[in-house]
Amino acid sequence: MPQPHLRTTVVLAAGEGKRMKSALPKVLQPLLGRTLLGHVLTAAGPLGADRTVVVVGHGAEQVRAHLAEIAPAATPVLQSEQLGTGHAVRIALDAVPEASGTVVVINGDVPLLRAETVVALVAAHEREGAAATVLAAEVPDPTGLGRIVRDADGRLEQIVEERDASPAQRALREINAGIYAFDVARLRDALGKLSTDNDQGEEYLTDVFGLLVSAGEPVGVHVAADHVETLGCNDRVELAGLRRLLRDRVNEAWMRSGVSILDPETTWIDVTATVARDAVIDQNTQLRGATVVGAEAVVGPDVTLVDTVVGPAATVLRSHAVGADVGPGASVGPYAYLRPAARLAEGSKVGTFVEVKNSEVGAGAKVPHLSYVGDATIGAKANIGAATIFVNYDGVNKHRTTVGEAAFIGCDTSLIAPVEVGPGAYVAAGSAISQDVPAGALGVTRAPQRAIEGWVARKRPGTASAAAAERAQAAGGPVEAVSASEGEAIHGGAETVGGGLTAGDTATE
């Protein structure tokens, strides 16, 4: 029975990326849900390597910290002086003296690389028993890239960096993608023979191929089916170009799986997000992080979701959500903000200019507009009127509010936590509730209304208001002032302050 191949992956991630002009190392630049390094490690994952070594240099501590998060099994190895790619690989192999079989070397800035391509490269290398195999690509513009130089029979002769290439070699359009497979033993031997006799004064890993050819060792070239996936980036302009290419790849894959993306050019979906069949993604939408969109949900236009779950048949319109959970059939927006731990149950509604944080909105409950819901539990079928504030913070601690099932909170109400409004209870519009309201009771804290006759004429003479009041009084006669006690008698007492507590003047839908 054939023995499985032992494999080692080496990722070169020591470069500074000066042209990025960033405090962040180049390999940590973000790109649709992963860093450049994260994309490369993901592409290499299906190889099932026995060990992964990441050569770090500039920003080493930042890169190490990132590796601890995304690939804790990887071994970071420091290249304190950047003396070339050959030097970097030698340091990596010194850290794993037990390595045998195949070693795969990948530059850390090729985020569009597909796992299938890496697997095919290694399969070809091992099938042919080659000492070394390079991944090549035919590109429209090879400027700045190393060239693949073949002999008259089409076999690899050498790999030449552009700065060291002759005019004829610079005219070649087959380039080195910076991804290789080597036999470890023969690679170790060749690395010990590298020189720095080149324009940069560095040890080029690509010179290993020339040494192996001169020694009569078999070397191979594996050509990528799509040159796009071999593209690297050196500055933010090129990074933006890669972002667009990856966006198009991701969007196409989702559309072919049954997702409707109405405007692919303005839709940005991280590679870590998930979208179910028959979901509709409208224009100007970003799905970031671990966001999940359920079947038949409608998201957008103008929506950003970060690490948010949107249930089947839910709708999110012109809103922003971070770490939220929108239940099946729920409705969000427009212009809502769901903060971490906002959980909306099935069929609930969070409407226009509503902010929800660390709160549960029960099944069928509604917070239609202009409200803040923080640290709260809202029961099923409850209705929260416009301009309701859940007052949760005393300057030191956060406190929780509970609104019971089918409770009815009037407009312009402050619920001062910790407080509970019982099931089926009502709160009158304009109240500030700081004590519990029992189930089925009415909570009201309105002060009596009074009118001070003649105030405008005395305090605002000569204004447009004074003139309007004077005209009204001349046309209809003086308005009789009503005392507080008379008002209560006329309108039936405190239980019907304001002409009776109806849905129309207590809350809004």
Side-chain angles (χ1 to χ4, degrees):
M1 187 173 182
Q3 295 298 310
H5 288 280
L6 296 176
R7 295 169 180 162
T8 300
T9 298
V10 174
V11 179
L12 306 182
E16 180 179 3
K18 291 181 180 179
R19 281 177 281 177
M20 285 288 177
K21 298 183 178 178
S22 174
L24 198 64
K26 182 169 77 168
V27 295
L28 298 189
Q29 296 293 329
L31 186 73
L32 289 189
R34 295 191 183 109
T35 60
L36 301 185
L37 177 58
H39 282 289
V40 169
L41 290 171
T42 299
L47 286 175
D50 302 277
R51 61 193 67 77
T52 297
V53 179
V54 179
V55 181
V56 301
H58 288 282
E61 290 307 311
Q62 292 172 280
V63 178
R64 282 195 185 100
H66 182 58
L67 283 172
E69 293 178 4
I70 68 167
T75 302
V77 174
L78 178 65
Q79 185 186 25
S80 55
E81 290 184 89
Q82 277 66 63
L83 301 177
T85 51
H87 177 253
V89 172
R90 182 148 48 82
I91 290 173
L93 294 182
D94 287 346
V96 285
E98 74 282 8
S100 61
T102 300
V103 58
V104 181
V105 180
I106 308 177
N107 283 337
D109 66 346
V110 283
L112 302 189
L113 182 65
R114 296 178 189 268
E116 306 93 283
T117 300
V118 181
V119 170
L121 166 71
V122 174
H125 169 79
E126 293 176 347
R127 184 174 60 249
E128 298 298 324
T133 305
V134 58
L135 183 68
E138 189 84 16
V139 299
D141 180 8
T143 303
L145 302 172
R147 308 300 203 276
I148 300 293
V149 180
R150 296 177 183 257
D151 63 20
D153 296 321
R155 294 187 295 265
L156 178 67
E157 190 173 89
Q158 62 177 324
I159 301 172
V160 181
E161 299 300 314
E162 183 175 67
R163 62 177 62 90
D164 301 310
S166 67
Q169 290 169 336
R170 291 187 181 188
L172 298 172
R173 291 194 297 113
E174 189 176 35
I175 59 93
N176 166 29
I179 301 152
Y180 318 91
F182 296 98
D183 173 77
V184 171
R186 288 181 278 190
L187 175 60
R188 288 186 192 275
D189 180 66
L191 287 172
K193 300 174 182 177
L194 290 179
S195 81
T196 57
D197 184 18
N198 51 59
D199 184 65
Q200 290 289 96
E202 295 180 348
E203 295 178 28
Y204 290 162
L205 179 62
T206 49
D207 286 348
V208 165
F209 285 85
L211 291 170
L212 291 172
V213 169
S214 298
E217 296 280 7
V219 297
V221 180
H222 183 78
V223 181
D226 181 4
H227 79 276
V228 168
E229 63 183 290
T230 68
L231 296 176
C233 60
N234 292 305
D235 58 28
R236 294 178 193 258
V237 174
E238 292 177 352
L239 181 61
L242 295 186
R243 185 174 287 110
R244 289 190 295 271
L245 290 169
L246 186 55
R247 173 204 62 194
D248 293 345
R249 178 194 290 180
V250 169
N251 288 352
E252 179 179 341
W254 285 122
M255 288 187 286
R256 293 194 183 282
S257 75
V259 175
S260 291
I261 299 180
L262 303 190
D263 186 8
E265 290 189 359
T266 64
T267 299
W268 299 84
I269 303 176
D270 280 1
V271 296
T272 47
T274 304
V275 189
R277 175 184 280 187
D278 289 325
V280 177
I281 311 299
D282 209 335
Q283 65 183 4
N284 298 326
T285 293
Q286 298 184 54
L287 306 181
R288 298 169 57 186
T291 291
V292 176
V293 177
E296 300 182 17
V298 178
V299 176
D302 308 322
V303 166
T304 298
L305 304 180
V306 182
D307 298 330
T308 291
V309 175
V310 177
T315 300
V316 183
L317 169 65
R318 290 194 170 90
S319 297
H320 189 100
V322 180
D325 192 331
V326 179
S331 172
V332 178
Y335 310 115
Y337 180 21
L338 304 183
R339 293 169 58 190
R343 293 181 287 278
L344 280 57
E346 183 173 2
S348 60
K349 176 180 180 178
V350 167
T352 310
F353 299 114
V354 174
E355 180 177 344
V356 181
K357 164 249 172 190
N358 191 29
S359 297
E360 297 89 37
V361 180
K366 299 178 180 178
V367 190
H369 34 213
L370 301 165
S371 296
Y372 170 70
V373 181
D375 298 287
T377 299
I378 298 173
K381 299 182 181 179
N383 189 90
I384 310 299
T388 294
I389 304 297
F390 286 70
V391 185
N392 58 333
Y393 186 43
D394 64 9
V396 178
N397 298 307
K398 301 289 179 68
H399 302 279
R400 199 156 188 89
T401 296
T402 300
V403 175
E405 178 184 358
F408 199 85
I409 308 300
C411 294
D412 196 26
T413 291
S414 293
L415 301 174
I416 304 170
V419 71
E420 180 174 353
V421 177
Y426 273 57
V427 171
S431 295
I433 302 298
S434 59
Q435 298 180 20
D436 292 351
V437 180
L442 168 69
V444 57
T445 61
R446 291 187 187 140
Q449 179 177 324
R450 62 193 184 108
I452 302 173
E453 277 296 310
W455 186 90
V456 173
R458 294 193 302 274
K459 299 295 186 179
R460 300 291 187 268
T463 63
S465 299
E470 184 178 355
R471 287 193 298 272
Q473 289 166 352
V479 178
E480 182 178 357
V482 180
S483 70
S485 59
E486 289 172 334
E488 289 183 5
I490 292 170
H491 295 300
E495 285 193 335
T496 54
V497 172
L501 285 170
T502 67
D505 55 24
T506 302
T508 54
E509 285 283 320

